[in-house]
Every structure is written in structure tokens, then in C-alpha cells.
């Protein structure tokens, strides 16, 4: 069925998916419609093809610009869409386009600049803009692409010739946020063969970049071929890249092949160089180490007396890290007294070096706040301490180098790139103490820095093993160790509760009830669940929808989310231009909806205020419920842990360990039948292919 009219109003629109509930007006008749359509201005003429549903809505399968009648077109040209355009200009445009400017822009390859006067040209250019996007949009949708894909391509690959640019080389999209399958399908229809150089370059880079995003800094040749084959299978075009073409491509200057170890290791050049630089900086700091403090038992006793504390033997040994500067590692699980020990170390160093600068930092705002509260010294996120603005090329060069004592908490969360930037900012002769729990998950970004430092055997390290009783947390601490050891004989008390349910529906209902209870008590809490995909009932996406704030006037839908003032959010990607990073949390304080964009102001967990809009909205999600990977580095009084049977691949004890150790006071585990026991019995391998350890072994000559 076909209907025509003018675009009358937008009731609701999701700017990420393009799904729009709108109305068109045909004379005096208003028809309410829904469909995935471009963003049209009020008054533009449209032709829709689709069907009516029982509820009276017209479901638009296609929607295209087309003149409804001449009077409505003149009204549109004189509307606020074209500010400053009056009836005389409108009449001239109508005359010069044979009374149909829509048909003119559709049928003209280019705009005849000599035909239109200065006041007329912007109108034709804007209509051409709408038409060009519509053409691209229809093209992308025909390949099962998305509105978001079309919008990104239009903005980045030529508004006038985006479709033609794509047909010439669909693989230009490999650096964008679009799926590789979209490139493949367009390429196949455009006659690009599987052995085409453009395709080989694109798929190898896409595979290597995916490998890096999964945390690895290198892969071997067979691993790369398998990854390429997996990408091709997911695309479903029947293309297959011969290993010879892959071998030829990795010889290009984008990659490094390292032959010095067993087998061939293939790196993105940036990852390879970053690991080399990290190893060089560690060598610089350790080779340049100088005597710092004389370690005297009686001074440790003074620190104990001042702090009204008695250190264990393994804690007292850690004071030896003050003997010389350089890189030092301190590891320990929950309850081993890392925070108490840090206070003692800082006090001891102050006795001999009262004027030495002290810099405390952590990967997340929550961890930095925890350091501030426990030490009385202002701690910052690593990003904020470094004043990290690489897009402006002002990092490090425009600020003083760090010196004295630099302490990094939650070391397991620090990825390769940010660790390189941190080391780059530290003067030789400084003492760098990195603290962390080796049982935590690896960082979200590439590399496995903390693990590689611990295992290289050439860096001074101390392990805290004595577990101290902590009032109200005994069961949480002891049970966390049981979990990571694969045991489920829990100590159960008021601080550690396990409740079983028969179905995931019951699990979801109980989650809502507990969340409501915590809200009524004004208690600090977080909900942790195993996955984010909305096809699972207890995913973060679904739980967040249930728990978020009530929608207000300024609320808007974006993708799977509806965002409102007061909503808790988490950033899912690094964006160094806008200065937010993966895992950073915050609260929406203000929303301004303007035209087809939304400007969202967020107060972050380290007290910054950030406003984002446009494509950056892809980088935030609601955070009432989090996965373990997002939870790491955070903290709450009450941890509500939801364990359902699906997805089974996320039932891993390391994930549960992270979730349990977030709690300061209480843990409540809601489990679907025996999912808890399955989780504890499953050990997940989170190994990564990184070369930092090997580089350190080669560069650091003195065994510690």
C-alpha cells in the first residue's frame, strides 16, 4: 500500500536505530506511522510504502522524499528549515525546477550553480543533502546494515558521493564501527574478488585489530588464519582468503613479525612498539635506581606504634621495597592489609624523606577515592594525573614529570597503553609501587601488564599472604578465597547469603525486590550479572531497564537504552578527545534535546562534568547492573550477585570472585538452581598472548 503526504510530527525517535513513530498529513487527514527512516524535517513531502496494522498504525517498509503538492512544497521552502527564505525565493525555485524541486535534485547528477541565485542555492543544496542520505540509507538497509551505519558512512565518506565511494571500495569501512560483513556483501555485489588486494588488506587488519581488542598484543600465523576464517564465516559471503595472501599482507609496514622467539609472532606495529617502550622504561627506572631509605626494624616499630597496629611478618618484609627506588610490586587478596601497609610505607618514607612528593593513582575513580579515604592523600585516576590529552598532542611535554613516590593501585586493571604513558611521565630515580590482586581479571584494553611484571622474575615483588579478621567482612573474605580455589563450602552468616530459585523469571523478580529494598534503605549497592546481551533475561541490559529512573520530559531512547536525568551510567570505550575512559561511571545530571541530537551532561565518579552527544552516545550504558569485567575496580556496601544458567560460558569462578570482592559489608547471591556450583567448578582461562614478559627477561639483567 502506498500513501503520500507531508511529514507532520515526530512522536518518538531512536537516533541510534532510526526507529521512529511519526505522523504524515495528507490534506486534512493525519496518518500515524512507524518505521526505520532517516531524520526528516517537518513539512517535507514523503511517499511511504507499507501496510496498516490492527492498531491503526501504518508500518512503513520504505520512505522516500517526493512532492505531495506545489503549495505544501512552497510552505516547506518558506519554513524554519530554511531560515531567511521567503515567498519570492520559493517561487523562483519552483519556476527553475519545473514546479518540483524534489524531482530536480533526484534527477540531477550535480546542482547547476549558475542556475540558482545566492539565496536559492542553499535550499537546493539542503534538499540534495536529504536525497543523498536517503539513497545511501536505502542502499545500506538493503544489505541488512543499520541506520547508525548509514549515518556514520554519510558523515565520514562524502555526503555527495558516499554510495559511489563505497562501491569503489567497500573496505574503506574497516576502520569504522560497522560490521565487516557489511563490507563483504557490498564488495561481492560490486564484483570485488576474494583475492583483491583491497580486501586482503582490510580483512587482515580487521583480524589483527580484533585480536588486539581481545587483549592480545600478538598472534601467530595459524592463529591469524583461523581468526580471518572466523570473520569470513560470520560474514557468510562464501569468501575464503588463501594463507599465501595473508602471508604477503603481514609483510607490509603495518605489522611487525618477531622471529626471535619460538615460532613467528605477528604484531600490529603500534602494539609492538608500545611493549618495547614499556620494557625500556622499566629498565630505565630499575637501572637508574638509587638508595632511598635505610630499613631499620625500630623505625617499623615506631610506625606500628603511631598507627596502633601490629604488622605480620610478610607485611614487615614489604618495607624493604623502600631500600632503593625503581619498580616494586605488592600483591595480595582481600583482607591481607594492602591499604594498612601502604599507610605504613608512606609514613616510613616520610621519616627519612619528609619533602619527597607522593603521587597516588588508580585506573578508576572509585579506586582512587578509596585510596584518598584510606591514606588522607589526594589520589587521582591515572588519566587525570597525567592530564591525558593525546588528541591535542600535549601529553607529558606540557607538564612536569612525576618524581618521588608513585603508587598505583588495582594494577591488574592497567592496560599496556596507559601503562606506557604513565611510565613515560616518571623521572628516573623515582620509586614506583604497583599494588594489585593477581586473581583479578586482566584489563579491558590490550596487554596483561601486572601478570607479566609478576612473572618475568626480574622485578622486586612482595606477596601478602596473612589474612586479617575484619569485623563484618570475615565471611566475605574467607568465601572469596574458597571461590577462587574452587570450593563451595561457604561460611554463611548475615553478611553472606545464598538464595536459590527454580527459574530465571523468579530470579529477575527477586532481583527487583532486593533492589527496591536497598533503595528504600538508601543503601549503597550494585547488581552484578554474567552478561549484557538482551536475549538473556538476567542480562545487564534487561535488569537496567527494570531499575532505571522514571522517564522525564527530556528522556530519550538510544539503542537498547532510554536515558533520563538521574540515571547511573558507565562508559564503555575510551575517548581521549572528550576525556572519558572505559569503565568510568557517572550520573546524568542534564539532558538537552536539540533537533535530531541529544546533549547529555554527566557528573563522573571522579567529579568531572562531561557533555557528550552524537556518536559518542554509543559509548554509554546504564549501570544499575554490571558485568564482572565492568565491576572490577569498583566497590559498594552491598553486592547483589545474579547467577542464571545461561549463558553457560560466563559461569566462571574468576568472574564470581571479582563480584564478591566488590562488597564492603554484604553479599547476596541469587542463583538459578545449581548455577552457583557450576560457576565455582568452572575455571576460565584468561591468558593473553603478550610479549612484555619476554622483553623484560631479555632487557633486565639482574635477577631479583
Amino acid at each position: 500500500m502506498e500513501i503520500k503526504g507531508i511529514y507532520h510530527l515526530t512522536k518518538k525517535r531512536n537516533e541510534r536505530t532510526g526507529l521512529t513513530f511519526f505522523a504524515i498529513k495528507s490534506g486534512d487527514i493525519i496518518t500515524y506511522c512507524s518505521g526505520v527512516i532517516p531524520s526528516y524535517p517537518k513539512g517535507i513531502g514523503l511517499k511511504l510504502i507499507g501496510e496498516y496494522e490492527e492498531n491503526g498504525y501504518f508500518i512503513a517498509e520504505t520512505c522516500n522524499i517526493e512532492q505531495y503538492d506545489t503549495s505544501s512544497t512552497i510552505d516547506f521552502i518558506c519554513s524554519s528549515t530554511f531560515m531567511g527564505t521567503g515567498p519570492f525565493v520559493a517561487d523562483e525555485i519552483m519556476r527553475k525546477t519545473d514546479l518540483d524541486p524534489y524531482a530536480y535534485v533526484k534527477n540531477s547528477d550535480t546542482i547547476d550553480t549558475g542556475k540558482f541565485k545566492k539565496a536559492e542555492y542553499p535550499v537546493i543544496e539542503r534538499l540534495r543533502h536529504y536525497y543523498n542520505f536517503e539513497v545511501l540509507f536505502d542502499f545500506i538497509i538493503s544489505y541488512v546494515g543499520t541506520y547508525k551505519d548509514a549515518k556514520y558512512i554519510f558523515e565520514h565518506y562524502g555526503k555527495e558521493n558516499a554510495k559511489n565511494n563505497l562501491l569503489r571500495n567497500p573496505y574503506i569501512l574497516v576502520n569504522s564501527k560497522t560490521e565487516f560483513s557489511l563490507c563483504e556483501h557490498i564488495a561481492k555485489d560490486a564484483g570485488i574478488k576474494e583475492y583483491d588486494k583491497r580486501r586482503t588488506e582490510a580483512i587482515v587488519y580487521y583480524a589483527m585489530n580484533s585480536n588486539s581488542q581481545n587483549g592480545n598484543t600478538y598472534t601467530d600465523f595459524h592463529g591469524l588464519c583461523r581468526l580471518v576464517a572466523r570473520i569470513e564465516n560470520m560474514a557468510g559471503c562464501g569468501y575464503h582468503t588463501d594463507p599465501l595472501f595473508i602471508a604477503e599482507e603481514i609483510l607490509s609496514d603495518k605489522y611487525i613479525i618477531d622471529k626471535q622467539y619460538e615460532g613467528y609472532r605477528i604484531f600490529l606495529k603500534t602494539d609492538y612498539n608500545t611493549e618495547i617502550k614499556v620494557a625500556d622504561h622499566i629498565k630505565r627506572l630499575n637501572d637508574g635506581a638509587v638508595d632511598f631509605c635505610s630499613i631499620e626494624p625500630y623505625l617499623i616499630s615506631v610506625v606500628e606504634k603511631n598507627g596502633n597496629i601490629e604488622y605480620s611478618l610478610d607485611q614487615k618484609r614489604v618495607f624493604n621495597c623502600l631500600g632503593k627506588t625503581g619498580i616494586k610490586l605488592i600483591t595480595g587478596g582481600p583482607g591481607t592489609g594492602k591499604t594498612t601497609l601502604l599507610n605504613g610505607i608512606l609514613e616510613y618514607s616520610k621519616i627519612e624523606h619528609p619533602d619527597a612528593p607522593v603521587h597516588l593513582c588508580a585506573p578508576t575513580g572509585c579506586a582512587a577515592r578509596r585510596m584518598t579515604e584510606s591514606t588522607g592523600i589526594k589520589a587521582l585516576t591515572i588519566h587525570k594525573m597525567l592530564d591525558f590529552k593525546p588528541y591535542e598532542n600535549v601529553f607529558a611535554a606540557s607538564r612536569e614529570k612525576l618524581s618521588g613516590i608513585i603508587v598505583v593501585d588495582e594494577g591488574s586493571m592497567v592496560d599496556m597503553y596507559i601503562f606506557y604513558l604513565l611510565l613515560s611521565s616518571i623521572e628516573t630515580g623515582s620509586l614506583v609501587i604497583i599494588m594489585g590482586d593477581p586473581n583479578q581479571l586482566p584489563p579491558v584494553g590490550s596487554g596483561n601488564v601486572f601478570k607479566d611484571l609478576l612473572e618475568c622474575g626480574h622485578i622486586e615483588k612482595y606477596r601478602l599472604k596473612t589474612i586479617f579478621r575484619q569485623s563484618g567482612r570475615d565471611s566475605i573474605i574467607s568465601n572469596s578465597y574458597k571461590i577462587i580455589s574452587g570450593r563451595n563450602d561457604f561460611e554463611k552468616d548475615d553478611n553472606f547469603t545464598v538464595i536459590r530459585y527454580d527459574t530465571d523469571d523468579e530470579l529477575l523478580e527477586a532481583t527487583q525486590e532486593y533492589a527496591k529494598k536497598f533503595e528504600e534503605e538508601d543503601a549503597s549497592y550494585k547488581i552484578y550479572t554474567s552478561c549484557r546481551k538482551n536475549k538473556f533475561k538476567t542480562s545487564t541490559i534487561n535488569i537496567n531497564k527494570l531499575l532505571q529512573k522514571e522517564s522525564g520530559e527530556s528522556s530519550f531512547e538510544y539503542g537498547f537504552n532510554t536515558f533520563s536525568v538521574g540515571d547511573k551510567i558507565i562508559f564503555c570505550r575510551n575517548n581521549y578527545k572528550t576525556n572519558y575512559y572505559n569503565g568510568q561511571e557517572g550520573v546524568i545530571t542534564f539532558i538537552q534535546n536539540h533537533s535530531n541530537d541529544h546533549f547529555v551532561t554527566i557528573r563522573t565518579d571522579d567529579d568531572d562534568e562531561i557533555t557528550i552527544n552524537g556518536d559518542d552516545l554509543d559509548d554509554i550504558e546504564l549501570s544499575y547492573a554490571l558485568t564482572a569485567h565492568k565491576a572490577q575496580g569498583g566497590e559498594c556496601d552491598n553486592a547483589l550477585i545474579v547467577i542464571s544458567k545461561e549463558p553457560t560460558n560466563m559461569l566462571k569462578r574468576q568472574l564470581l570472585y571479582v563480584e564478591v570482592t566488590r562488597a564492603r559489608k554484604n553479599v547476596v547471591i541469587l542463583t538459578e538452581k545449581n548455577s552457583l556450583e557450576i560457576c565455582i567448578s568452572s575455571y576460565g582461562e584468561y591468558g593473553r598472548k603478550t610479549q612484555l614478559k619476554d622483553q623484560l627477561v631479555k632487557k633486565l639483567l639482574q635477577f631479583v
Side-chain angles (χ1 to χ4, degrees):
M1 182 178 292
E2 177 183 296
I3 60 174
K4 293 182 180 181
I6 62 170
Y7 196 88
H8 182 57
L9 63 86
T10 302
K11 292 186 67 179
K12 187 166 63 172
R13 178 174 172 80
N14 189 317
E15 201 56 42
R16 189 178 194 276
T17 64
L19 178 60
T20 309
F21 294 87
F22 62 102
I24 68 166
K25 190 173 183 180
S26 307
D28 295 328
I29 300 173
I30 295 176
T31 304
Y32 289 95
C33 314
S34 69
V36 177
I37 64 171
S39 179
Y40 290 117
K42 183 178 180 180
I44 198 168
L46 295 176
K47 179 180 76 174
L48 281 64
I49 296 176
E51 297 291 338
Y52 281 99
E53 280 197 339
E54 291 182 3
N55 61 8
Y57 262 81
F58 185 84
I59 309 302
E61 296 175 6
T62 64
C63 183
N64 298 108
I65 297 170
E66 187 169 300
Q67 182 163 278
Y68 177 62
D69 58 32
T70 55
S71 62
S72 65
T73 303
I74 292 172
D75 290 342
F76 177 52
I77 294 173
C78 294
S79 71
S80 59
T81 300
F82 306 98
M83 293 297 291
T85 303
F88 177 78
V89 172
D91 288 341
E92 283 296 293
I93 290 172
M94 295 297 287
R95 181 179 65 80
K96 293 177 181 179
T97 58
D98 295 329
L99 301 182
D100 192 345
Y102 298 102
Y104 174 83
V105 297
K106 288 183 181 183
N107 298 326
S108 303
D109 292 332
T110 58
I111 301 174
D112 183 355
T113 55
K115 186 173 186 175
F116 299 98
K117 294 180 180 179
K118 185 177 180 180
E120 300 162 1
Y121 183 80
V123 176
I124 299 299
E125 187 178 41
R126 178 74 69 87
L127 291 176
R128 179 80 176 176
H129 174 95
Y130 294 137
Y131 173 68
N132 284 336
F133 181 77
E134 188 179 88
V135 169
L136 177 67
F137 175 74
D138 290 344
F139 178 70
I140 295 300
I141 293 297
S142 71
Y143 284 98
V144 199
T146 65
Y147 171 77
K148 178 174 165 286
D149 291 332
K151 186 178 176 183
Y152 181 89
I153 293 164
F154 192 67
E155 292 295 327
H156 290 83
Y157 296 101
K159 295 180 179 180
E160 185 71 25
N161 298 303
K163 179 181 174 182
N164 291 335
N165 290 338
L166 275 186
L167 289 172
R168 279 193 292 272
N169 182 11
Y171 296 106
I172 58 177
L173 298 180
V174 75
N175 290 315
S176 72
K177 298 177 181 179
T178 57
E179 296 290 337
F180 191 80
S181 59
L182 182 62
C183 307
E184 290 278 74
H185 285 279
I186 296 173
K188 190 170 185 179
D189 283 354
I192 296 176
K193 304 299 182 185
E194 59 187 15
Y195 50 79
D196 189 287
K197 179 70 173 174
R198 292 169 294 178
R199 181 180 180 275
T200 306
E201 287 179 356
I203 198 165
V204 170
Y205 178 79
Y206 188 88
M208 287 297 297
N209 199 47
S210 298
N211 182 64
S212 181
Q213 289 176 355
N214 288 333
N216 306 296
T217 59
Y218 76 87
T219 186
D220 56 35
F221 185 69
H222 294 296
L224 176 57
C225 291
R226 286 194 298 270
L227 188 51
V228 167
R230 191 178 308 132
I231 294 166
E232 290 171 335
N233 289 336
M234 290 177 66
C237 283
Y239 276 177
H240 171 69
T241 306
D242 191 284
L244 286 174
F245 293 109
I246 298 174
E248 179 187 27
E249 176 56 25
I250 60 176
L251 295 174
S252 74
D253 61 3
K254 296 190 196 77
Y255 311 102
I256 297 289
I257 301 175
D258 197 327
K259 308 173 187 176
Q260 62 182 311
Y261 302 101
E262 184 178 346
Y264 288 79
R265 295 178 176 179
I266 307 164
F267 299 77
L268 285 170
K269 182 181 283 187
T270 50
D271 287 344
Y272 180 83
N273 289 337
T274 302
E275 279 192 320
I276 293 287
K277 290 172 184 175
V278 166
D280 286 342
H281 279 301
I282 291 173
K283 177 175 172 58
R284 169 180 65 83
L285 290 166
N286 278 359
D287 286 353
V290 296
D291 291 337
F292 190 59
C293 290
S294 56
I295 308 304
E296 303 290 348
Y298 83 91
L299 286 180
I300 296 176
S301 299
V302 171
V303 172
E304 286 180 308
K305 184 177 180 180
N306 290 343
N308 192 26
I309 192 169
E310 183 178 346
Y311 291 117
S312 64
L313 286 177
D314 52 349
Q315 285 179 314
K316 288 180 179 179
R317 290 191 193 101
V318 180
F319 281 85
N320 290 317
C321 76
L322 294 172
K324 292 178 77 71
T325 60
I327 306 280
K328 311 297 172 73
L329 308 174
I330 302 174
T331 71
T336 54
K338 294 192 296 294
T339 299
T340 303
L341 178 62
L342 175 59
N343 282 327
I345 288 172
L346 295 177
E347 183 177 348
Y348 191 107
S349 68
K350 195 171 184 179
I351 293 173
E352 292 202 22
H353 298 280
D355 297 325
V358 175
H359 307 277
L360 306 184
C361 62
T364 68
C366 181
R369 276 201 308 273
R370 195 165 62 239
M371 290 183 83
T372 300
E373 292 165 1
S374 61
T375 63
I377 301 171
K378 179 65 175 177
L380 301 172
T381 61
I382 299 174
H383 296 75
K384 196 162 188 176
M385 185 177 73
L386 299 179
D387 193 20
F388 183 27
K389 299 175 183 176
Y391 276 81
E392 299 175 20
N393 199 28
V394 297
F395 168 75
S398 65
R399 68 182 316 281
E400 293 182 5
K401 293 274 190 175
L402 301 172
S403 62
I405 302 173
I406 297 94
V407 183
V408 184
D409 197 12
E410 297 285 359
S412 64
M413 294 183 66
V414 182
D415 65 43
M416 180 66 64
Y417 186 55
I418 195 64
F419 192 59
Y420 155 64
L421 294 176
L422 174 63
L423 295 183
S424 301
S425 72
I426 298 174
E427 282 189 352
T428 304
S430 301
L431 173 61
V432 182
I433 299 173
I434 305 172
M435 306 174 68
D437 181 349
N439 291 318
Q440 297 284 350
L441 300 171
V444 175
S446 63
N448 206 351
V449 172
F450 195 57
K451 182 173 182 290
D452 287 342
L453 296 179
L454 288 170
E455 293 182 355
C456 79
H458 288 57
I459 297 177
E460 194 175 324
K461 61 184 178 182
Y462 302 89
R463 182 185 173 198
L464 300 175
K465 295 178 284 187
T466 304
I467 301 172
F468 297 89
R469 296 183 63 83
Q470 295 184 14
S471 177
R473 285 196 76 205
D474 282 351
S475 59
I476 297 175
I477 292 170
S478 61
N479 289 337
S480 68
Y481 283 101
K482 289 183 177 184
I483 288 168
I484 204 64
S485 302
R487 296 168 54 190
N488 57 26
D489 53 330
F490 295 142
E491 296 179 19
K492 296 179 182 177
D493 57 21
D494 291 342
N495 303 112
F496 197 96
T497 307
V498 177
I499 307 173
R500 298 183 189 277
Y501 298 91
D502 290 330
T503 67
D504 52 7
D505 284 324
E506 294 176 359
L507 204 60
L508 204 57
E509 185 178 346
T511 301
Q512 286 182 274
E513 291 173 357
Y514 265 97
K516 184 178 179 181
K517 173 177 174 288
F518 289 135
E519 291 282 357
E520 290 173 349
E521 295 173 355
D522 197 25
S524 162
Y525 77 99
K526 281 287 187 184
I527 298 172
Y528 303 119
T529 187
S530 59
C531 70
R532 68 175 298 277
K533 293 183 178 178
N534 66 329
K535 71 175 184 176
F536 301 106
K537 288 186 178 179
T538 57
S539 68
T540 58
I541 288 177
N542 289 328
I543 293 176
N544 281 327
K545 283 182 179 179
L546 290 174
L547 300 181
Q548 73 176 130
K549 302 295 182 185
E550 291 185 9
S551 299
E553 287 185 7
S554 59
S555 299
F556 67 96
E557 290 186 10
Y558 193 81
F560 291 116
N561 297 304
T562 298
F563 293 111
S564 302
V565 171
D567 273 334
K568 301 175 184 177
I569 64 94
I570 188 167
F571 290 95
C572 326
R573 293 181 186 85
N574 294 327
N575 185 322
Y576 301 124
K577 188 174 183 179
T578 311
N579 204 24
Y580 57 80
Y581 52 89
N582 200 341
Q584 187 178 20
E585 293 188 67
V587 175
I588 296 176
T589 58
F590 184 66
I591 295 174
Q592 186 177 39
N593 298 317
H594 177 69
S595 185
N596 299 314
D597 203 356
H598 312 283
F599 293 79
V600 180
T601 301
I602 297 160
R603 172 65 65 177
T604 68
D605 57 359
D606 48 357
D607 293 326
D608 278 339
E609 192 168 81
I610 294 172
T611 298
I612 63 172
N613 68 296
D615 289 344
D616 288 350
L617 295 172
D618 288 330
D619 297 346
I620 61 171
E621 294 178 355
L622 297 170
S623 66
Y624 298 95
L626 297 172
T627 61
H629 292 88
K630 295 293 186 186
Q632 191 161 289
E635 200 175 47
C636 60
D637 286 343
N638 304 281
L640 182 61
I641 301 170
V642 182
I643 309 176
S644 58
K645 285 197 169 183
E646 296 290 342
T648 55
N649 66 315
M650 299 305 291
L651 295 176
K652 305 296 181 186
R653 74 177 70 145
Q654 294 98 318
L655 303 181
L656 180 59
Y657 173 82
V658 170
E659 294 166 347
V660 167
T661 54
R662 299 308 92 203
R664 287 187 292 258
K665 295 180 180 178
N666 298 294
V667 169
V668 178
I669 297 177
L670 310 180
T671 176
E672 183 183 358
K673 295 183 177 177
N674 65 337
S675 298
L676 172 61
E677 287 70 27
I678 295 172
C679 181
I680 294 172
S681 66
S682 302
Y683 185 81
E685 289 292 340
Y686 292 99
R688 293 182 171 185
K689 290 184 177 181
T690 62
Q691 192 160 284
L692 179 60
K693 174 183 171 182
D694 296 326
Q695 293 287 356
L696 291 171
V697 169
K698 183 175 69 173
K699 290 177 182 291
L700 303 179
L701 301 179
Q702 182 179 358
F703 182 84
V704 178

